[in-house]
Amino acid sequence: MEKKRLQVLIVDDEAVLREGMRTIIPWEEYGFEVCATAANGLEGLHILRERRPEVAVVDIRMPLVDGLEVCRRVREEALGTRILLLTGYSEFEYARSALRCGVKGYLLKPVEEQELIQELTAIREELQAERERQQLLKSGSELLLGQLIHEILHHPAGEQPDERLNRLYQAGFPWMSYQVLLARARSGRDIGDALRELSQREKIGLAFLSEDAPGILIRDRLLEASGEEAQKLCRTLEERAGEPCLISLGTPCDKISDIPLSYESAASLMAMTFWTPHTQLLDSSLMDEYLARNAQQYEGNLISDLIHAVRAADAGRLREFIGSIKSNLLLFDMPATCARAVYANILVSVYSALDTGEGEGERGSLLFDIYQINQEIAGKSSIREVEDYTLEKLLSWMNRRAARKMNARIQPVLQYIEENLDKDLRLEQLARRFGYNSAYLGKLFRDCTGEYFNGYVDRLKMEKAKEYIREGCLVYEAAQRVGYSNINYFYIKFKKYTGVSPGALKKEPAEKSAGRGLPER
């Protein structure tokens, strides 16, 4: 019996691209079938709700409803469709929003066939593995699973023991994503039963007990404090508990080994409710916003100061500003997870404000760079490591930007030299011509070329003189054409550079003479 093909929906407002993707990609060869196409996000949402395809390839920019809104609604309505986003754009906000939506892939137009097939293959394998373990999940005991989750939460981040992993696989793991939700009543009363009922009714994950608060390990969802789904869960929990409750949402992750980090961030946020007495739902983004507002009391616009220091190539000020961040966080008795989030947010904000190419890469790789910054900071075990990483990143961006500016300044000077080798070129003369102090131009020259000005000019002139001599020019003609009126002085310079006299070089084969001469460094 032939296996059922996975259904794919293509949503793109450009008919040529939409039809091209439908016909050019050999979908059937990879176990897929295009069930429908849509010309805009609104039409695409209607098909998604009606047909529930396993995969949707969605353009990020479309009329009526854009691709990001499609992703948000798919997640909020728990339609279960995996989304691959297509875009010809790479703006900061679009990249950040795509991360929040939990898309499965992010592809730049024009789409490379092999790249799309690679993403589709990964999705197919993930779906197959999930379906094969669904029956095991149904037979698992919720109580035993709760105990198992408790063991995972309190294991250090990293690899879990093999025996525990085997039990997880038997229970239906791995999932697409994980997120720890912790909850407690404001009165301090136990609401573990209410939380278990909520987990079973909404089918959102597995309930567990912990020392900090009862919670739910959320499955295949990305809950945000500002999102409708999280707010609805909070209202439902309060109805079942019969009193006001607090909920903290840990950082989402896609690896079992990172679940303890999600738990740590949720527990840290729960401990921070002292600072936010009127808030029912907390996640890292809301805490970042709160901390950013309060940090301005002490440092003013820190991010603007950092951006200015990077652009001014002021390493001293960068170090001063980075040192001040820790002092401010200590005022709040900041938990480790929140402190890491503050540093990551500062780096991402500075990165996004710099001009194209001033950060680690061009804007086309922005999504990956933001992800990498967050992942690398999350792996730091001490505030010193976080500080060092943050400063290292900022200094790297500063130095790259300074190097680009420096090269842009020296380029016209180098071009002038190459076009005027027949003249007597002096540093003071070029400094006046290009509006520089001669000492500054000399240093700029050395920094950009690795050579002193006179050595650089002599090298170019001697190389050009070698060409003229090999072409048959008389020695005095070659000397004049590279700016030497004194033939004796030219002889001395030439022999010092090449190791032979001009006359001897003229008699040598071109292959042998080509290697003569070393740059004077």
Side-chain angles (χ1 to χ4, degrees):
M1 181 178 176
E2 186 178 353
K3 286 186 178 179
K4 180 185 175 184
R5 293 192 180 102
L6 300 176
Q7 301 296 292
V8 178
L9 167 66
I10 299 173
V11 188
D12 197 313
D13 60 329
E14 295 181 60
V16 174
L17 294 177
R18 188 171 65 244
E19 287 304 306
M21 224 183 315
R22 186 180 69 83
T23 57
I24 294 173
I25 304 296
W27 300 96
E28 292 78 11
E29 289 182 22
Y30 298 95
F32 292 86
E33 179 182 344
V34 177
C35 66
T37 62
N40 58 65
L42 196 60
E43 182 184 354
L45 279 170
H46 175 73
I47 297 172
L48 283 165
R49 292 171 181 135
E50 184 176 74
R51 301 197 184 186
R52 299 290 182 98
E54 284 84 358
V55 182
V57 183
V58 182
D59 189 12
I60 204 168
R61 288 240 182 171
M62 293 182 293
L64 301 180
V65 175
D66 66 17
L68 293 180
E69 183 60 21
V70 170
C71 294
R72 279 191 284 270
R73 295 193 192 179
V74 165
R75 182 167 285 278
E76 287 174 2
E77 296 174 28
L79 299 180
T81 301
R82 274 67 169 174
I83 303 290
L84 291 175
L85 274 182
L86 305 177
T87 183
Y89 301 84
S90 51
E91 293 95 332
F92 173 73
E93 285 305 321
Y94 273 83
R96 176 176 274 183
S97 298
L99 280 174
R100 290 200 198 104
C101 289
V103 298
K104 295 303 295 180
Y106 187 84
L107 306 172
L108 293 177
K109 289 182 177 180
V111 177
E112 294 288 338
E113 180 178 333
Q114 287 305 314
E115 187 177 359
L116 176 57
I117 288 171
Q118 185 178 348
E119 294 284 354
L120 291 169
T121 301
I123 291 174
R124 185 194 65 213
E125 292 172 354
E126 181 181 88
L127 287 168
Q128 287 174 347
E130 183 179 349
R131 285 171 179 170
E132 289 170 1
R133 288 191 285 268
Q134 279 181 348
Q135 288 302 115
L136 288 173
L137 178 60
K138 291 178 182 178
S139 62
S141 162
E142 185 178 351
L143 179 60
L144 290 175
L145 285 174
Q147 293 174 352
L148 182 57
I149 297 302
H150 183 274
E151 292 175 15
I152 294 170
L153 297 178
H154 293 84
H155 188 279
E159 295 301 319
Q160 296 282 338
D162 289 342
E163 178 272 335
R164 190 175 298 153
L165 287 175
N166 289 334
R167 289 159 61 197
L168 284 172
Y169 295 149
Q170 291 172 7
F173 286 72
W175 297 344
M176 284 173 55
S177 65
Y178 313 88
Q179 185 177 21
V180 172
L181 176 154
L182 296 179
R184 65 177 175 84
R186 285 195 177 272
S187 66
R189 186 174 65 85
D190 179 23
I191 57 169
D193 290 340
L195 207 59
R196 271 192 298 275
E197 290 174 11
L198 176 68
S199 172
Q200 292 171 348
R201 175 184 165 182
E202 301 295 331
K203 294 181 173 55
I204 56 174
L206 295 171
F208 61 86
L209 296 176
S210 76
E211 288 78 2
D212 297 285
I216 300 174
L217 181 61
I218 303 294
R219 174 177 184 169
D220 299 344
R221 283 175 169 80
L222 173 60
L223 297 180
E224 293 180 305
S226 58
E228 175 58 32
E229 187 176 8
Q231 293 174 13
K232 179 183 175 184
L233 285 174
C234 188
R235 291 193 297 269
T236 304
L237 178 61
E238 289 184 333
E239 289 171 5
R240 292 185 170 275
E243 61 178 297
C245 296
L246 294 166
I247 288 179
S248 65
L249 300 169
T251 305
C253 60
D254 57 7
K255 296 179 182 176
I256 293 173
S257 58
D258 289 339
I259 293 175
L261 295 177
S262 182
Y263 173 73
E264 180 188 344
S265 63
S268 297
L269 288 168
M270 187 61 76
M272 294 293 291
T273 53
F274 173 80
W275 299 99
T276 55
H278 304 297
T279 304
Q280 290 176 293
L281 273 163
L282 272 178
D283 65 11
S284 59
S285 63
L286 288 182
M287 187 55 69
D288 288 348
E289 181 183 342
Y290 172 80
L291 291 171
R293 286 200 306 268
N294 285 275
Q296 287 179 359
Q297 291 178 240
Y298 306 97
E299 291 301 325
N301 197 340
L302 175 64
I303 290 172
S304 292
D305 289 340
L306 287 170
I307 292 167
H308 178 76
V310 169
R311 287 179 170 155
D314 191 338
R317 294 290 283 169
L318 277 181
R319 290 186 174 88
E320 179 184 332
F321 289 138
I322 295 303
S324 72
I325 297 173
K326 181 171 71 175
S327 303
N328 289 337
L329 298 187
L330 288 172
L331 292 173
F332 295 100
D333 192 23
M334 183 69 62
T337 302
C338 292
R340 292 189 191 100
V342 170
Y343 281 92
N345 189 58
I346 287 170
L347 274 179
V348 169
S349 298
V350 172
Y351 182 97
S352 67
L354 294 175
D355 297 334
T356 299
E358 288 182 17
E360 282 292 285
E362 299 298 327
R363 281 296 185 254
S365 64
L366 177 61
L367 183 67
F368 174 76
D369 291 338
I370 295 172
Y371 172 80
Q372 189 178 47
I373 288 170
N374 282 279
Q375 288 294 103
E376 290 181 353
I377 284 189
K380 304 303 178 187
S381 61
S382 70
I383 188 65
R384 178 63 180 272
E385 289 182 9
V386 173
E387 277 188 311
D388 290 346
Y389 173 84
T390 303
L391 183 60
E392 180 185 340
K393 278 287 183 187
L394 291 170
L395 289 173
S396 170
W397 298 342
M398 180 192 78
N399 291 334
R400 292 185 186 192
R401 184 177 187 276
R404 275 190 288 271
K405 288 176 68 177
M406 194 180 294
N407 287 329
R409 290 189 187 119
I410 202 66
Q411 203 57 45
V413 179
L414 299 181
Q415 184 177 348
Y416 180 84
I417 291 171
E418 290 183 11
E419 293 173 354
N420 294 274
L421 290 175
D422 60 332
K423 296 182 174 61
D424 182 18
L425 299 171
R426 298 182 182 276
L427 180 64
E428 294 78 10
Q429 168 203 356
L430 267 67
R432 286 194 300 272
R433 182 180 185 86
F434 289 95
Y436 293 122
N437 173 281
S438 59
Y440 172 78
L441 180 59
K443 183 179 184 306
L444 182 66
F445 211 95
R446 174 69 172 171
D447 290 342
C448 292
T449 67
E451 299 179 64
Y452 291 106
F453 175 82
N454 289 334
Y456 180 87
V457 172
D458 285 348
R459 180 171 61 81
L460 261 61
K461 288 192 173 201
M462 293 303 107
E463 288 295 334
K464 183 59 71 173
K466 282 168 58 179
E467 290 180 22
Y468 291 144
I469 291 171
R470 283 199 297 266
E471 290 170 0
C473 280
L474 297 174
V475 175
Y476 81 89
E477 290 176 334
Q480 289 176 350
R481 293 174 73 172
V482 292
Y484 287 90
S485 56
N486 187 324
I487 191 70
N488 292 327
Y489 184 60
F490 172 75
Y491 261 85
I492 294 169
K493 278 279 188 182
F494 191 90
K495 188 168 184 178
K496 181 181 179 183
Y497 179 77
T498 64
V500 296
S501 68
L505 182 78
K506 197 168 187 178
K507 297 175 184 176
E508 284 184 352
E511 299 81 24
K512 185 176 180 181
S513 62
R516 292 196 177 276
L518 295 171
E520 295 180 3
R521 301 276 174 177

